[in-house]
Amino acid sequence: MSDQTINIGFLLFPKLTQLDLTGPVQVLSRMPGAEVHLIWKTLDPVPSDTPISILPTMKMSECPQLDVICVPGGSGADDMANDDEVLDFLRKQAEGARYVTSVCTGALVLGAAGLLDGYKATTYWAVLDDLKKFGATPVETRVCSDRNRITGGGVTAGIDFGLVMIDTIAGRKAAEAVQLALEYNPAPPFSSGSPHTAPADVLAMVRQRMTPFIEKRAQAIARAATRFRERQQVRV
Amino acid sequence: MSDQTINIGFLLFPKLTQLDLTGPVQVLSRMPGAEVHLIWKTLDPVPSDTPISILPTMKMSECPQLDVICVPGGSGADDMANDDEVLDFLRKQAEGARYVTSVCTGALVLGAAGLLDGYKATTYWAVLDDLKKFGATPVETRVCSDRNRITGGGVTAGIDFGLVMIDTIAGRKAAEAVQLALEYNPAPPFSSGSPHTAPADVLAMVRQRMTPFIEKRAQAIARAATRFRERQQVRV
């Protein structure tokens, strides 16, 4: 554990899933030395999937090299996976960052930027297989570390991801201290947190509710995957 | 489960612990029929303990009767426990609300308002005993329900609290669907989330770091408890 500042930048975007961002921000902002930045194209409030809008602290165009870049997920990640300004920003940051990370469907944005090609990664349960379209090997796990790519599962996995990041950067004692400070001693009242444990009718209901998002997402991923392959061929 | 709107209001205040708020907001905003409001004295951004500031959606003075009122915690809760405008607002809302709730040290604010007198309640592990000063019976549990008072433990307990609230209001299937949608299948990398399971040196380190807050909090709670007792005597 050093006294150095660790600059951690979270990408914001419209329609991000709020807890994908706020979970790891809460955890990582308690890490000794952490400076957390909230980054978007402008400094205007960024709407999330809840009534909470997020105020950026820094413009993308003014962002210095980060030590950690993290991309949260949400329905707006579909647009980010096809946004050249965002993908260029991520590729440039990834060259110098110590860790390139995501929570939930943020992994699809990293994938679209070509940053998971040849890496193991995880993402939200409903889109795990889509990682293959970006050259990644999907791993069904809460947090997946492969070299300097660290990816978290869906939404609430961002809290576990944050603790893994602190352990990786500042050591186990630092992570355990934050876990205690945040009383992270979870006790879900039901065991419906994964498609493998949720009751069948609940899984069917959730899939049904996702239908409109799934179709839009499938189209966005297909476009992003085509562009990913085109870039690959240029580089070969 | 009905088609009626459920108005859920979260009290905001400077120096709230961000995840105390954002966890249950994420969970409850997925409940069918939920309208989530973020309430403060003004509409200016409210700073949290992280770089995320919260934009209120409604002024306290313009807030209609809520179905659910929820008070998050944080170091700023000390001030709220001695703020007459806030305590009057909570008492007035509590008269007509279906549920009067808190996460983390928000319970101390409910207590200061006299709203936990004669109730079982829980709060952040480090201040559990302080509930007694407001006539409440502390219960060491993740989420405590006593009649229409539902209180959550520290910080991350707000997610479990949110699911218990959905179960209570909209039924188990609705809660399970949100649990799956948020992939709430927690896997903490360590078992340091409670003072009973944290390593002794980690507990000592966290207590040490809390020292400045503990002294300020003890003074604020003592003032609030004196005023609570004075109000009790007037009512007797």
Side-chain angles (χ1 to χ4, degrees), chain A residues 1 17-23 25-26 29-30 32 36 38 45 49-55 57 123-125 142 153-157 159-160 163-164 167 172-195 197-199 201-203 205-206 209-210, chain B residues 1 17-23 25-26 29-30 32 36 38 45 49-55 57 123-125 142 153-157 159-160 163-164 167 172-195 197-199 201-203 205-206 209-210:
Chain A
M1 211 162 91
T17 294
Q18 184 251 112
L19 192 57
D20 286 13
L21 172 81
T22 52
V25 164
Q26 182 72 63
S29 64
R30 299 277 179 112
V36 171
L38 308 168
D49 68 327
T50 74
I52 292 178
S53 292
I54 309 293
L55 286 166
T57 60
T123 184
Y124 188 49
W125 61 264
R142 196 75 176 156
V155 199
T156 52
I159 296 171
D160 300 314
L163 291 172
V164 168
D167 181 33
R172 177 167 177 157
K173 289 291 170 198
E176 286 178 326
V178 172
Q179 185 181 358
L180 177 58
L182 302 179
E183 203 169 328
Y184 186 46
N185 184 27
F190 311 111
S191 55
S192 183
S194 134
T197 59
D201 57 341
V202 169
L203 179 58
M205 177 164 64
V206 170
R209 279 188 203 159
M210 283 180 181
Chain B
M1 209 161 92
T17 294
Q18 184 250 113
L19 192 56
D20 286 13
L21 171 81
T22 53
V25 164
Q26 182 72 63
S29 64
R30 298 279 179 110
V36 172
L38 308 169
D49 68 328
T50 74
I52 291 178
S53 292
I54 310 293
L55 285 166
T57 60
T123 184
Y124 188 49
W125 60 265
R142 196 76 177 156
V155 199
T156 52
I159 296 171
D160 300 314
L163 291 171
V164 169
D167 181 33
R172 178 167 177 156
K173 289 292 170 197
E176 287 178 325
V178 172
Q179 185 181 358
L180 177 58
L182 301 179
E183 203 170 327
Y184 186 46
N185 184 27
F190 311 110
S191 55
S192 184
S194 134
T197 59
D201 57 342
V202 169
L203 180 58
M205 178 164 66
V206 171
R209 279 188 203 157
M210 282 178 181

Side-chain angles (χ1 to χ4, degrees), chain B residues 96-116:
Chain B
R98 287 173 58 192
Y99 299 99
V100 176
T101 74
S102 62
V103 173
C104 199
T105 56
L108 298 176
V109 184
L110 289 185
L115 296 171
L116 295 180

Side-chain angles (χ1 to χ4, degrees), chain B residues 3-236:
Chain B
D3 292 335
Q4 272 193 311
T5 298
I6 311 282
N7 280 289
I8 304 171
F10 287 86
L11 180 72
L12 304 183
F13 52 84
K15 294 186 282 174
L16 60 81
T17 294
Q18 184 250 113
L19 192 56
D20 286 13
L21 171 81
T22 53
V25 164
Q26 182 72 63
V27 174
L28 286 167
S29 64
R30 298 279 179 110
M31 180 171 72
E35 288 268 358
V36 172
H37 309 284
L38 308 169
I39 301 162
W40 180 230
K41 295 176 185 180
T42 70
L43 295 180
D44 297 329
V46 175
S48 77
D49 68 328
T50 74
I52 291 178
S53 292
I54 310 293
L55 285 166
T57 60
M58 187 183 274
K59 282 191 201 177
M60 204 179 281
S61 59
E62 293 168 0
C63 184
Q65 176 63 57
L66 298 164
D67 299 301
V68 179
I69 174 80
C70 183
V71 183
S75 67
D78 302 349
D79 294 328
M80 294 307 101
N82 290 285
D83 184 313
D84 282 327
E85 187 180 350
V86 165
L87 299 179
D88 285 342
F89 169 76
L90 294 174
R91 281 189 280 256
K92 197 162 162 239
Q93 283 291 338
E95 285 173 20
R98 287 173 58 192
Y99 299 99
V100 176
T101 74
S102 62
V103 173
C104 199
T105 56
L108 298 176
V109 184
L110 289 185
L115 296 171
L116 295 180
D117 193 8
Y119 288 85
K120 290 179 191 164
T122 196
T123 184
Y124 188 49
W125 60 265
V127 297
L128 192 62
D129 267 0
D130 288 316
L131 288 173
K132 292 178 192 165
K133 294 173 182 156
F134 302 106
T137 303
V139 181
E140 193 169 8
T141 182
R142 196 76 177 156
V143 183
C144 180
S145 300
D146 184 359
R147 288 155 283 169
N148 78 335
R149 296 334 195 230
I150 305 183
T151 50
V155 199
T156 52
I159 296 171
D160 300 314
F161 158 82
L163 291 171
V164 169
M165 288 301 299
I166 297 182
D167 181 33
T168 304
I169 294 171
R172 178 167 177 156
K173 289 292 170 197
E176 287 178 325
V178 172
Q179 185 181 358
L180 177 58
L182 301 179
E183 203 170 327
Y184 186 46
N185 184 27
F190 311 110
S191 55
S192 184
S194 134
H196 303 297
T197 59
D201 57 342
V202 169
L203 180 58
M205 178 164 66
V206 171
R207 283 199 191 279
Q208 174 61 30
R209 279 188 203 157
M210 282 178 181
T211 308
F213 299 99
I214 285 173
E215 283 168 18
K216 180 177 164 290
R217 174 155 293 158
Q219 290 168 15
I221 290 172
R223 278 200 310 280
T226 300
R227 299 177 70 217
F228 165 75
R229 286 192 303 272
E230 285 168 0
R231 272 183 65 94
Q232 266 194 321
Q233 290 178 336
V234 171
R235 287 160 67 201
V236 171

